[in-house]
Amino acid sequence: MTKSFITSNNAVLPVFFFCLVAWCLGGADVDVAPMEKTEKEALYSAVQGFVGNWWNGSGLYPDPCGWTPIQGVSCDLFEGLWYVTSMNIGPVHDNSLGCAKNPEFRPQLFDLKHLKILSFLNCFVSPRRHPIAIPSNDWEKLAASLESLEFRSNPGLIGQIPASFGARLVKLQSLVLLENGLTGELPVNIGNLIKLKRLVLSGNSLSGRIPGSFGVLTQLLIFDLSRNKLSGSLPLTIEGLTSLLKLDLSNNQLEGMLPSGICRLKKLTLLDLRNNKFSGGLTKSLQWMRSLEELILSNNPIGGDLMTLEWSNLHNLVILDLSNVGLAGEIPESISKLKRLRFLGLGDNNLTAKISPKLATLPCISALYLNGNNLTGELKFSAEFYGKMGRRFGAWNNPNLCYPVWLMSASHVPYGVKPCQQEELNVLEPNTRTKLADANSNQNSHYVASLGFQSYGIDGFWWVFLVEILIALFFLDLFPVGVS
C-alpha cells in the first residue's frame, strides 16, 4: 500500500511541474506585448548613432521594452504595442551605454513618434576633434509628444540654438541646454513655448539681448541664463513671468537699471544678478518681494544706499549679498530684523558710520562680511559672537574701525581689525617728567588714554593702579634716594 502511494506521487510530481511551467510561460506570452517593427528599427539605429555600430541589442529579450530593456530607455503601451517614451543618452546610470568618440544624430531619432523625454549627458565632449551641432530640421516630427529636451555637459556641442525649437516643440515643458559650447543669440520664438516651466540655458557662450518675447512665458518656474555673454538691459516684459520661482542671470554683461516692475514677481525665491553691469541704485520695489529667500546682486556698479529699502519687509531672506555694488551711507538697523538671515555680505563698498551691535543678534547668522568699507568706531560685539563666527566674520580693511582689546582673549580677535589702543607709551622728555611730578590723581585718565585704553572700560581700576605705579617710578627717577 505504501509502495503504490509513493509510486503514484512520483508520477504526479513531473506532471505538476510541467503544468506549472506551461502556465507561467502561457501567462508570460499574454503579458509581453510586441514592439512595433519600425519603432524597433528606429530605436536601434538612433542608439547606434550615439554609442557606435558595435551595439546590436543582442542581449535584449524579447525586445528593448521587454524584461531586459536598454538602460536609459523607457517604453509605454499604445494600442497594444510598445513605443519608446524616454531616451537618456550618456552616463546617467552606472550601467548606461557610453557615447562613442564621434557620436552623431541619425534621422531615425525623429521617427520615435511617442518620445516624451530626450536627454544627453556628457556625450559630445570633443569641441576640436568631433564638434557637432544640434540638428535644425525634423523636430516637427516630435512636436506632438516631446515635453522635455536636455543637453547637459556637452562641450563638443557647438553652433546656435535651433529656431525650430520655438517654432515646432509647442508641448515642451522643460528646455535645458546646460554647459555646452553653444553660441549666437537667443531665438526670439522661444517665447512661443508657452507651456515651458523650466528654461535653463546657462554655461554657454550665448550673446545678444534677452528677447522681450520671453515675458509671455507665464507658466515658467525656473529661468536660468547665467554664465553667458548676454548684454543690454532687462526687458520690461520680465514682470510678466508671474509664476517664476528662480531667476538667475548672473555672470553676464547685462546693464542698466533694475526694472521697478520686477516686484510683480511675487513668488520669486531666488534673484541672482551677480557679476553684471547693473547700475542706478537699488530699486525700492525690491522691498515688496516678500517671498525672496536669496537676493544676490554682488559685483555690479549699482550704487545708492541701503536706506532706500525697508529691509524688514523681506522677512524670508536667508542670503543677502550686496558685496562690491558701490553702496554708500550707513547700515540700517532694519537689517537686524531679518530673523532667517544666514549670510550677509556687504563687503567692498563705501559704507560709513558705526556698526550697530544689533547685527550680532541675528539668530541664524553664520557669515557676516563688512570688510573693505569706511566703517568707524568700536566694534561692540561679544567675545562669544567672534568665537562662533571665526573667519566668517569679516571686518578687515576698515581703517577707522577697532575692537576693544580688554573685552576678549587673543583667540577671539576679529581678523584684520586693529585694537582700539593705537598709541604706544613714548619715551618721555625731561619737561614731560616735570609735568608728571606735578600731576595729581585726577589726571589718571590722561595717562590711560595715552596707553590706548579707555578709563570707563572693564577692569578700569587696574589700569589706574598701573598708571600710579608708573608715576611712582618716575618720582624715584627724579628724586633718587641716596645710600649711606
Side-chain angles (χ1 to χ4, degrees):
M1 182 73 177
T2 306
K3 184 177 180 180
S4 63
F5 177 76
I6 294 174
T7 303
S8 63
N9 275 350
N10 290 338
V12 169
L13 283 175
V15 175
F16 172 78
F17 282 113
F18 176 81
C19 294
L20 180 62
V21 170
W23 179 81
C24 290
L25 290 176
D29 288 338
V30 173
D31 292 338
V32 174
M35 188 174 195
E36 205 268 333
K37 182 180 178 181
T38 57
E39 180 81 358
K40 182 177 179 179
E41 291 173 350
L43 174 62
Y44 276 43
S45 180
V47 171
Q48 286 173 343
F50 299 123
V51 306
N53 289 326
W54 63 269
W55 184 87
N56 57 16
S58 58
L60 306 178
Y61 178 80
D63 53 48
C65 297
W67 295 340
T68 54
I70 305 173
Q71 191 66 41
V73 174
S74 300
C75 305
D76 206 346
L77 283 170
F78 294 88
E79 299 179 352
L81 297 175
W82 287 114
Y83 289 89
V84 177
T85 55
S86 174
M87 179 183 291
N88 300 281
I89 304 298
V92 180
H93 307 285
D94 292 338
N95 57 346
S96 296
L97 293 171
C99 290
K101 291 184 178 180
N102 56 339
E104 62 177 352
F105 293 92
R106 292 186 179 179
Q108 290 80 5
L109 172 66
F110 301 98
D111 292 333
L112 302 174
K113 56 185 177 182
H114 290 287
L115 193 63
K116 292 182 178 181
I117 299 172
L118 178 60
S119 72
F120 299 87
L121 171 65
N122 200 27
C123 190
F124 313 100
V125 296
S126 181
R128 293 184 179 180
R129 293 185 178 181
H130 303 290
I132 188 170
I134 301 175
S136 57
N137 299 320
D138 293 329
W139 290 101
E140 67 276 4
K141 294 182 179 180
L142 302 178
S145 61
L146 197 62
E147 297 177 356
S148 176
L149 178 60
E150 298 190 3
F151 291 86
R152 295 175 180 263
S153 302
N154 296 284
L157 194 67
I158 63 168
Q160 300 185 0
I161 300 174
S164 53
F165 283 1
R168 304 295 184 185
L169 302 178
V170 292
K171 286 194 173 183
L172 211 59
Q173 297 181 28
S174 176
L175 177 59
V176 177
L177 308 176
L178 173 65
E179 294 177 351
N180 302 294
L182 300 174
T183 56
E185 298 187 354
L186 299 172
V188 175
N189 62 6
I190 286 182
N192 296 336
L193 305 178
I194 57 175
K195 292 188 177 182
L196 273 181
K197 291 180 170 58
R198 178 169 56 172
L199 179 58
V200 177
L201 308 178
S202 61
N204 291 282
S205 296
L206 301 171
S207 57
R209 304 174 72 91
I210 300 174
S213 60
F214 285 17
V216 301
L217 301 176
T218 56
Q219 297 185 39
L220 200 61
L221 302 176
I222 298 173
F223 188 22
D224 186 351
L225 302 179
S226 63
R227 293 179 291 140
N228 281 291
K229 299 177 181 179
L230 300 172
S231 58
S233 57
L234 289 183
L236 297 179
T237 56
I238 200 169
E239 65 185 43
L241 305 177
T242 52
S243 298
L244 208 59
L245 300 177
K246 299 182 184 297
L247 175 59
D248 189 349
L249 305 177
S250 62
N251 295 286
N252 281 287
Q253 300 168 16
L254 299 168
E255 58 188 9
M257 296 180 62
L258 301 180
S260 59
I262 201 170
C263 66
R264 296 186 181 179
L265 308 182
K266 299 292 187 182
K267 299 179 181 179
L268 201 67
T269 61
L270 166 69
L271 177 59
D272 190 348
L273 304 178
R274 79 184 97 174
N275 298 327
N276 279 288
K277 299 178 181 179
F278 290 111
S279 58
L282 296 171
T283 175
K284 195 169 184 178
S285 62
L286 285 172
Q287 70 186 19
W288 305 118
M289 303 178 72
R290 300 180 189 273
S291 295
L292 272 181
E293 296 178 5
E294 301 178 46
L295 176 58
I296 306 171
L297 305 177
S298 54
N299 299 319
N300 281 284
I302 293 176
D305 61 74
L306 289 168
M307 308 301 286
T308 306
L309 276 67
E310 182 51 55
W311 292 98
S312 58
N313 289 343
L314 302 176
H315 53 84
N316 284 310
L317 271 183
V318 175
I319 296 175
L320 175 59
D321 191 354
L322 301 176
S323 305
N324 191 30
V325 296
L327 292 172
E330 303 180 15
I331 301 174
E333 285 197 0
S334 59
I335 288 182
S336 64
K337 298 179 181 179
L338 302 177
K339 301 304 181 183
R340 297 186 61 195
L341 200 63
R342 294 181 183 178
F343 180 96
L344 176 58
L346 298 175
D348 298 316
N349 285 292
N350 297 308
L351 298 172
T352 56
K354 296 182 178 181
I355 300 173
S356 171
K358 291 184 178 180
L359 290 179
T361 65
L362 290 166
C364 298
I365 197 72
S366 59
L368 173 59
Y369 294 101
L370 308 173
N371 52 286
N373 284 286
N374 293 310
L375 298 168
T376 60
E378 176 185 311
L379 284 172
K380 295 184 178 180
F381 301 145
S382 66
E384 291 77 16
F385 173 79
Y386 296 121
K388 178 187 78 170
M389 301 292 286
R391 288 292 181 92
R392 288 176 285 106
F393 173 72
W396 59 86
N397 291 341
N398 283 283
N400 298 313
L401 191 66
C402 65
Y403 69 91
V405 68
W406 54 89
L407 290 180
M408 64 194 70
S409 64
S411 61
H412 292 163
V413 168
Y415 174 76
V417 180
K418 64 185 178 182
C420 287
Q421 75 280 8
Q422 291 299 300
E423 299 178 8
E424 299 292 338
L425 184 63
N426 297 321
V427 177
L428 298 176
E429 300 297 330
N431 58 340
T432 307
R433 295 182 181 183
T434 303
K435 293 179 181 178
L436 283 171
D438 297 333
N440 57 46
S441 60
N442 291 330
Q443 295 173 307
N444 285 338
S445 60
H446 167 76
Y447 299 108
V448 174
S450 70
L451 286 169
F453 301 100
Q454 299 182 24
S455 60
Y456 55 81
I458 297 175
D459 297 331
F461 168 80
W462 296 107
W463 297 119
V464 174
F465 180 69
L466 175 61
V467 171
E468 290 179 346
I469 292 176
L470 291 173
I471 293 173
L473 290 175
F474 284 125
F475 271 110
L476 291 175
D477 185 44
L478 290 171
F479 306 104
V481 179
V483 179
S484 55

